[in-house]
Amino acid sequence: MPQFLNTQDADFETQFTALLGAKREDSPDVDAVVAEIIADVRARGDAAVLELTAQFDRLELTPETLRFSEAEIDAFCAEVSDEERAALELAAERIRAYHSRQMPSDDSWADANGATLGWRWSPVSAAGLYVPGGLASYPSSVLMNAIPAKVAGVERLAIVVPTPDGIANPLVLLAARLAGVDEIYRIGGAQAVAALAYGTDTIAPVDKITGPGNAFVAAAKRRVFGKVGIDMIAGPSEILVIADKDNNPDWIALDLLSQAEHDESAQSILITDDNGFGKAVAQAVEKRLETLERRAIAGASWRDFGAVITVDDLDQAAALSNRIAPEHLELCVADPDALSDKITHAGAIFLGQFTPEAIGDYVGGPNHVLPTARSARFSSGLSVMDFLKRTTLSKMTLESLRAIGPAAATLAKSESLEAHGLSVLARLEALNQK
Amino acid sequence: MPQFLNTQDADFETQFTALLGAKREDSPDVDAVVAEIIADVRARGDAAVLELTAQFDRLELTPETLRFSEAEIDAFCAEVSDEERAALELAAERIRAYHSRQMPSDDSWADANGATLGWRWSPVSAAGLYVPGGLASYPSSVLMNAIPAKVAGVERLAIVVPTPDGIANPLVLLAARLAGVDEIYRIGGAQAVAALAYGTDTIAPVDKITGPGNAFVAAAKRRVFGKVGIDMIAGPSEILVIADKDNNPDWIALDLLSQAEHDESAQSILITDDNGFGKAVAQAVEKRLETLERRAIAGASWRDFGAVITVDDLDQAAALSNRIAPEHLELCVADPDALSDKITHAGAIFLGQFTPEAIGDYVGGPNHVLPTARSARFSSGLSVMDFLKRTTLSKMTLESLRAIGPAAATLAKSESLEAHGLSVLARLEALNQK
């Protein structure tokens, strides 16, 4: 059974704080191993990548077979059923449409003194996307990472995906093709991250690496950060559902379980203003857990980290939600828009009872790579912005340099940076002599 | 003397690659010490902060005197000269005007099936800004960090600034006041970063920490990342000037020196299409180095990391610049706008000979916190975006769930996530029975 909390309880604050602070993940310390792997790939390039792939994935490759050929990709794509292809195409189309609207605008204007100011956005030249192999090899994540990169205008997009024992997921390859990925390499682990960051004879280096991975991949991303850009290091998934009593308990139970089934460290929380409804949902969860395919995982997550919180009213629900800063937030209430206006920190909000979070995982359009572990307090989900950077632009005229140059020289002097000041003053002197 | 390179030289590529890869900074490994300090502050809060401040800053404080009082700030602000105050006010006004234009828009629209999609931006609730003490205590950096936070709508903005031996910089306090900072604490080092991230009895925790600092501060920011957001970890400053022969060599020399005087690890590079002009600039640098206040620092930087590169034409200059991806780029050429269009990676561009980079450090308007060490390939300068986060919004109707729900269920099945599929199918079944 999950925890049951009630804001009426005397020790609610203590319990809620404990829930907020619950440590859900013990990452193994693989940093030393990863450092060695990265150093090896930097030193020996392809040779190291091939040896490590043979060792970890039991797969013998050559520089020529590191990359999937177009013919191989064709063959894998042909294995995908029409139904699955149509679903992936619908998802790709909706994700592309949503992310296209995120493209920011350049700007340029003249100030009162005639100086031109502005900025310009430009895409990262080359990006690499890590796609896990095996069970957690999700074609939906390929779309969610690759499409924003291509919408942003990334010219070269490479995927690395391990194929343990040579087994590839045809849906992952089709998703990559639909998203417009340029290169697909059948490698994984820290060695793949190192190859993307530093390059080998076969794999050109990229400027940014995104995508989920295990502890080795996460440690490798942290280590190459600075040499290349990385996206967030995602923790286990979370959902918070705020639901009033006018909901079907089974629907809400399934929404909670759709996070819980990801991972034993996932967390599903229900906040309701009706104690009886909370109990009904908990019962519905238990019933579904009797038959759910991934009941071992989902059951452990729900038992260890699940919670049902009863509040006095929805304002209290919003306040608690803002302290949780959930990755996913469902608002299954009569007026979800009004409640949404009170939410200050959340990765993604799903409004109304006809918007199960799973829609957002696949076909809604918004990204499913979202800030976990309360980081929605200060960060956002993946977007086209992750594949763009902004260059600021300034162009002074004679008049504007005369108008604001002296202030710059004054501040430079205050900061004891003489050359800064002289670079302005030398120009002003020469101009004043004209 | 700096390095002289010429694209006509047979070994140019080797020399240029070496220049690109030059390691300019040896950060001392202070991670173990920093880990101890953070653990101490987490465990003992104010008591640890006070002890460490006594130890490192030779300053005895109490919980009551950790924070500058309004009366103290008033007294320090009164020490600032009218000229300096006016310069700071002009800078603040221009920085505020520029960053106000950066505020991104919310969006919301209905798709073809009637689903409502969109996103909403919201500010980080509380941010902390690290301001170094001593020589590198720059009031301009206070403005550059604090104003974007306040423009973004950050409700609570706290500054930590060490005051070794009790000595404070009045301009830093005035800059904080002009920027609308809410709290100023006279502490620094890793202990100040830990206090901001985890909170103490006196200092409430923040959600995001920005601002420059020494190796201890940088290591502490890396360690608290995840618990809070951080900005980039800045490396030593760099400038690239692309200049044709129709420039005053002394002006260009001063621009190069205004980076070099920051730090012995700073880097100043000139690219010119006129070999003679390059030599003239190098001579002008030597002449200025005879008298410059910070000639020891600037001279070392110019000697160890400076370079003058002669190219055949400006297209070649743009191509090399894009490989360097400079933090600051000056375009002192006849048509700077045309050359700017060829630049794909740069933190900030200063167009034309009347826009010395020092203008951008103080009063131009754009931010002076910019990506160093070639990271302009994948990242941007500080902006209001660093203090905002985006929540995505989805609201399905019955019709839209019917239209796209089955595809979500198909993909969930492909990914073996049964509860994901059931959360959609259960709703569709119930609706179909209606």
Side-chain angles (χ1 to χ4, degrees):
Chain A
M1 291 296 275
Q3 276 190 273
F4 287 88
L5 281 68
N6 192 317
T7 52
Q8 298 280 351
D9 294 342
D11 61 348
F12 173 77
E13 186 56 34
T14 309
Q15 288 186 59
F16 184 73
T17 306
L19 185 71
L20 271 187
K23 190 167 166 54
R24 291 190 282 132
E25 202 180 28
D26 267 320
S27 296
D29 187 3
V30 297
D31 199 49
V33 180
V34 165
E36 271 179 41
I37 291 175
I38 294 174
D40 194 19
V41 172
R42 288 186 70 175
R44 297 195 300 131
D46 282 337
V49 172
L50 295 174
E51 276 178 35
L52 290 160
T53 302
Q55 182 184 336
F56 292 119
D57 295 340
R58 299 160 302 281
L59 183 65
E60 299 288 340
L61 297 173
T62 66
E64 290 70 36
T65 58
L66 264 181
R67 182 173 165 182
F68 281 95
S69 71
E70 290 304 307
E72 285 174 299
I73 299 170
D74 287 342
F76 277 111
C77 290
E79 288 180 26
V80 177
S81 73
D82 288 349
E83 186 194 359
E84 287 175 318
R85 172 184 281 272
L88 269 184
E89 283 172 348
L90 176 71
E93 183 191 326
R94 292 185 59 90
I95 295 165
R96 194 174 287 117
Y98 184 91
H99 287 79
S100 296
R101 295 186 71 119
Q102 289 181 328
M103 282 297 283
S105 302
D106 296 347
D107 201 358
S108 177
W109 65 95
D111 71 9
N113 306 310
T116 308
L117 299 172
W119 63 78
R120 195 172 66 197
W121 292 93
S122 56
V124 167
S125 292
L129 164 56
Y130 192 94
V131 180
L135 258 187
S137 181
Y138 295 142
S140 57
S141 291
V142 174
L143 298 181
M144 292 290 180
N145 280 270
I147 291 175
K150 279 295 176 185
V151 168
V154 171
E155 205 170 304
R156 178 176 160 251
L157 179 58
I159 278 187
V160 290
V161 54
T163 58
D165 301 306
I167 297 166
N169 180 343
L171 280 162
V172 161
L173 293 166
L174 179 58
R177 179 154 281 178
L178 292 176
V181 169
D182 301 289
E183 304 162 13
I184 311 176
Y185 299 95
R186 54 188 120 216
I187 57 175
Q191 59 273 22
V193 174
L196 287 173
Y198 290 98
T200 70
D201 287 343
T202 307
I203 305 173
V206 301
D207 301 303
K208 175 123 190 179
I209 300 176
T210 71
N214 63 17
F216 290 86
V217 173
K221 281 170 68 181
R222 278 187 193 276
R223 282 210 159 249
V224 302
F225 175 56
K227 167 69 178 153
V228 299
I230 63 168
D231 63 341
M232 68 193 88
I233 307 282
S237 197
E238 314 140 7
I239 191 170
L240 170 61
V241 180
I242 300 179
D244 60 25
K245 68 176 167 25
D246 297 327
N247 278 278
N248 183 328
D250 184 51
W251 297 4
I252 303 300
L254 286 166
D255 297 350
L256 296 168
L257 286 169
S258 70
Q259 288 309 303
E261 74 176 346
H262 268 296
D263 187 340
E264 292 183 2
S265 305
Q267 183 167 49
S268 305
I269 299 176
L270 169 65
I271 299 184
T272 178
D273 57 357
D274 185 294
N275 196 42
F277 178 76
K279 285 182 182 155
V281 171
Q283 278 168 5
V285 168
E286 297 305 329
K287 182 146 179 54
R288 286 288 184 177
L289 278 174
E290 288 169 14
T291 56
L292 198 70
E293 285 166 14
R294 295 168 72 98
R295 57 186 171 273
I297 293 169
S301 159
W302 180 241
R303 181 188 65 232
D304 294 342
F305 303 114
V308 176
I309 304 176
T310 303
V311 292
D312 298 344
D313 54 43
L314 293 179
D315 279 352
Q316 222 172 41
L320 293 181
S321 176
N322 288 336
R323 288 177 64 189
I324 294 171
E327 181 189 12
H328 304 100
L329 174 61
E330 275 187 26
L331 302 181
C332 300
V333 296
D335 188 348
D337 293 287
L339 186 54
S340 173
D341 287 343
K342 294 175 183 158
I343 301 300
T344 53
H345 313 307
I349 302 181
F350 304 89
L351 294 98
Q353 59 178 326
F354 302 125
T355 318
E357 185 275 329
I359 286 290
D361 280 339
Y362 297 111
V363 295
N367 213 285
H368 79 194
V369 180
L370 293 165
T372 59
R374 307 189 59 220
S375 62
R377 290 174 298 128
F378 54 80
S379 62
S380 312
L382 199 72
S383 77
V384 296
M385 310 291 280
D386 291 282
F387 300 97
L388 295 166
K389 63 268 185 328
R390 187 188 48 244
T391 299
T392 60
L393 305 167
S394 320
K395 185 182 185 182
M396 296 294 126
T397 58
L398 280 173
E399 187 199 353
S400 58
L401 189 64
R402 281 199 181 107
I404 68 173
T410 297
L411 293 174
K413 191 170 180 197
S414 303
E415 293 185 356
S416 302
L417 293 172
E418 188 192 12
H420 282 67
L422 288 172
S423 74
V424 174
L425 295 174
R427 285 168 165 91
L428 289 177
E429 272 169 34
L431 298 173
N432 287 337
Q433 285 163 7
K434 280 189 183 170
Chain B
M1 291 295 276
Q3 277 189 273
F4 288 87
L5 281 69
N6 191 317
T7 53
Q8 298 281 352
D9 293 343
D11 61 347
F12 172 77
E13 185 56 33
T14 309
Q15 287 186 58
F16 184 72
T17 306
L19 186 70
L20 271 186
K23 190 166 166 55
R24 290 191 281 130
E25 202 181 28
D26 268 320
S27 295
D29 186 2
V30 298
D31 199 48
V33 179
V34 165
E36 270 179 43
I37 290 175
I38 293 174
D40 193 21
V41 172
R42 287 186 70 176
R44 297 195 299 132
D46 283 336
V49 172
L50 296 174
E51 275 179 37
L52 291 160
T53 302
Q55 182 185 337
F56 292 118
D57 295 340
R58 301 162 301 281
L59 183 65
E60 299 289 342
L61 296 174
T62 66
E64 290 69 36
T65 59
L66 265 180
R67 181 172 167 183
F68 282 94
S69 71
E70 290 305 306
E72 285 174 299
I73 300 171
D74 286 344
F76 278 110
C77 289
E79 289 180 26
V80 177
S81 73
D82 287 349
E83 186 193 0
E84 288 176 317
R85 172 184 282 271
L88 269 184
E89 283 173 348
L90 176 72
E93 184 192 326
R94 292 185 60 90
I95 296 164
R96 192 173 290 119
Y98 184 92
H99 288 78
S100 295
R101 294 186 72 119
Q102 288 180 329
M103 282 297 285
S105 301
D106 297 347
D107 201 358
S108 176
W109 65 94
D111 71 9
N113 306 310
T116 308
L117 299 171
W119 62 78
R120 195 173 65 196
W121 292 93
S122 56
V124 167
S125 293
L129 164 56
Y130 193 93
V131 179
L135 257 187
S137 180
Y138 294 142
S140 57
S141 291
V142 174
L143 298 181
M144 292 290 180
N145 280 269
I147 290 174
K150 279 296 177 181
V151 168
V154 171
E155 205 170 304
R156 178 178 159 249
L157 178 57
I159 278 187
V160 289
V161 53
T163 57
D165 301 307
I167 297 166
N169 181 341
L171 279 161
V172 161
L173 294 166
L174 178 57
R177 179 155 282 179
L178 291 176
V181 169
D182 301 290
E183 303 162 13
I184 311 176
Y185 299 94
R186 54 187 119 215
I187 56 174
Q191 60 274 21
V193 175
L196 287 174
Y198 290 98
T200 69
D201 286 343
T202 307
I203 305 173
V206 302
D207 302 303
K208 175 124 190 179
I209 300 175
T210 72
N214 62 17
F216 290 86
V217 172
K221 279 169 68 180
R222 277 188 194 276
R223 282 210 159 249
V224 301
F225 175 55
K227 167 68 178 155
V228 299
I230 62 169
D231 63 341
M232 67 194 88
I233 307 281
S237 197
E238 315 141 7
I239 192 170
L240 171 60
V241 180
I242 301 180
D244 60 25
K245 66 175 169 25
D246 298 328
N247 277 279
N248 183 328
D250 184 50
W251 298 2
I252 304 300
L254 286 166
D255 297 350
L256 295 168
L257 286 170
S258 70
Q259 288 308 304
E261 73 176 346
H262 268 297
D263 188 339
E264 292 182 3
S265 305
Q267 184 167 49
S268 304
I269 299 176
L270 169 65
I271 300 185
T272 178
D273 56 357
D274 186 293
N275 196 41
F277 178 77
K279 285 182 182 155
V281 170
Q283 279 168 5
V285 168
E286 297 304 328
K287 184 147 175 53
R288 285 289 185 177
L289 277 174
E290 289 170 12
T291 56
L292 198 70
E293 285 167 15
R294 295 168 72 99
R295 57 186 172 273
I297 293 169
S301 158
W302 180 241
R303 181 187 66 232
D304 294 342
F305 303 113
V308 175
I309 305 177
T310 303
V311 292
D312 299 344
D313 54 40
L314 293 180
D315 279 353
Q316 224 174 39
L320 293 181
S321 176
N322 288 335
R323 287 176 64 189
I324 294 172
E327 181 190 10
H328 304 100
L329 175 61
E330 275 187 26
L331 303 180
C332 300
V333 298
D335 188 350
D337 293 287
L339 186 55
S340 173
D341 286 345
K342 294 175 183 159
I343 300 301
T344 52
H345 312 305
I349 303 182
F350 304 89
L351 294 98
Q353 59 178 327
F354 303 125
T355 319
E357 184 274 330
I359 286 291
D361 281 338
Y362 297 112
V363 295
N367 212 286
H368 78 194
V369 180
L370 292 164
T372 59
R374 307 188 59 223
S375 62
R377 291 175 297 126
F378 54 80
S379 62
S380 312
L382 198 72
S383 76
V384 296
M385 310 292 279
D386 291 281
F387 300 97
L388 295 166
K389 61 267 185 334
R390 186 188 48 247
T391 299
T392 60
L393 304 168
S394 318
K395 185 182 185 182
M396 296 294 128
T397 58
L398 279 173
E399 188 198 351
S400 58
L401 189 65
R402 281 199 181 108
I404 69 173
T410 297
L411 293 173
K413 192 171 179 194
S414 303
E415 294 185 355
S416 301
L417 294 172
E418 188 192 14
H420 283 66
L422 287 173
S423 73
V424 174
L425 294 174
R427 284 167 165 92
L428 289 177
E429 273 170 34
L431 299 173
N432 288 337
Q433 285 164 5
K434 279 189 185 169

